[in-house]
């Protein structure tokens, strides 16, 4: 079967750095997406990786290793507004998005 | 601004009473999706339209139906809502299905409560 694993919950301190990991097993691979979802709101697109390596976008970076079936989202200089769930999703060989359950990130002052 | 709009944001219905949720988009995207998301769970794809072609997920209950009268609008009909159908319903759009860089853009969601 297809599976996306990410930690259920993480806690970090304002101003610090946090890394949210995602491992996947899917039927084929056509890219990996990270979305941010605040409580009670819709997911918003953060990043897309299809080639191995690091993609940097401001305070957020996303890394992919296809051979390991692994990605991480790195958030720097954490702000209170970064408290949200972070969803990892993989596009499989049928171009369907397979979603993880999300990692709830709690930021403490 | 181009966007995905969902109405209403909050919907309350009674057990067994049909309800319709609506989604509209100004992005002129070919594909529209409906997802169901329950608390702390991944979004679950119910169905999607590529233009007028309807694609139902195998495990979507018959209780859920959809209509897309034109490019801009898509509706989710729940014929006889049960308590287990209480969830957030998310509408999303993308330009084309099956293109690796095709990002899905989400509306704000409709939170459905079933009494």
């Amino acid at each position: 079967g297809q599976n996306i694993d990410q930690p259920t919950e993480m806690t970090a301190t304002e101003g610090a750095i946090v890394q949210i990991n995602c491992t996947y097993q899917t039927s084929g691979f056509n890219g990996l997406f990270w979305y941010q979802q605040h409580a009670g709101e819709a997911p918003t697109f953060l990043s897309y990786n299809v080639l191995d390596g690091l993609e940097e976008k401001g305070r957020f970076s996303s890394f992919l290793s296809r051979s390991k079936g692994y990605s991480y989202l790195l958030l720097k200089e954490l702000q209170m507004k970064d408290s949200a769930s972070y969803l990892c999703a993989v596009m499989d060989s049928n171009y369907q998005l397979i979603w993880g359950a999300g990692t709830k990130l709690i930021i403490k002052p | 601004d181009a966007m995905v709009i969902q109405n209403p944001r909050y919907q309350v219905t009674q057990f067994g009473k049909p309800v319709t949720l609506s989604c509209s988009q100004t992005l002129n995207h070919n594909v529209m999706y409906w997802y169901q998301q329950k608390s702390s769970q991944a979004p679950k794809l119910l169905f999607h339209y590529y233009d007028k072609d309807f694609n139902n997920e195998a495990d979507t209950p018959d209780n859920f139906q959809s209509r897309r009268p034109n490019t801009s609008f898509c509706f989710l009909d729940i014929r006889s809502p049960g308590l287990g159908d209480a969830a957030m319903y998310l509408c999303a759009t993308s330009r084309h299905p099956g293109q690796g860089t095709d990002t899905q853009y989400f509306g704000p969601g409709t939170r459905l409560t079933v009494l």
Side-chain angles (χ1 to χ4, degrees), chain A residues 19-107:
Chain A
Q19 177 175 311
I20 302 173
N21 295 325
C22 170
T23 57
Y24 62 89
Q25 290 176 305
T26 56
S27 304
F29 179 84
N30 280 296
L32 184 144
F33 295 79
W34 283 97
Y35 281 83
Q36 180 191 59
Q37 186 175 27
H38 285 99
E41 297 183 12
T44 55
F45 170 74
L46 287 178
S47 67
Y48 172 76
N49 294 69
V50 67
L51 299 177
D52 289 352
L54 188 68
E55 295 276 344
E56 296 188 75
K57 197 184 286 187
R59 294 189 298 114
F60 293 6
S61 303
S62 55
F63 172 83
L64 175 67
S65 168
R66 288 171 297 171
S67 63
K68 294 181 180 178
Y70 167 70
S71 172
Y72 67 73
L73 180 69
L74 191 72
L75 292 76
K76 303 176 186 175
E77 300 169 17
L78 285 170
Q79 301 175 9
M80 297 304 292
K81 68 178 183 179
D82 298 329
S83 292
S85 286
Y86 291 85
L87 298 158
C88 173
V90 172
M91 190 168 278
D92 69 7
S93 57
N94 293 320
Y95 297 97
Q96 295 265 41
L97 266 186
I98 311 300
W99 292 85
T103 298
K104 183 179 180 181
L105 178 63
I106 299 167
I107 310 294

Side-chain angles (χ1 to χ4, degrees), chain A residues 8 30-33 35 37 39-45 48 50 85 87 91 94-97 99-102 104, chain B residues 9-10 35 37 40-45 48 57 88 90 97-109 111:
Chain A
T8 304
N30 280 296
L32 184 144
F33 295 79
Y35 281 83
Q37 186 175 27
E41 297 183 12
T44 55
F45 170 74
Y48 172 76
V50 67
S85 286
L87 298 158
M91 190 168 278
N94 293 320
Y95 297 97
Q96 295 265 41
L97 266 186
W99 292 85
K104 183 179 180 181
Chain B
R9 294 290 308 276
Y10 299 90
Y35 286 91
Q37 187 180 28
S40 302
Q41 295 184 19
K44 179 182 182 300
L45 182 64
H48 74 274
E57 293 301 299
M88 175 78 89
L90 297 166
Q99 293 197 357
T101 57
D102 198 34
T103 300
Q104 292 185 18
Y105 294 92
F106 285 83
R111 181 165 295 282

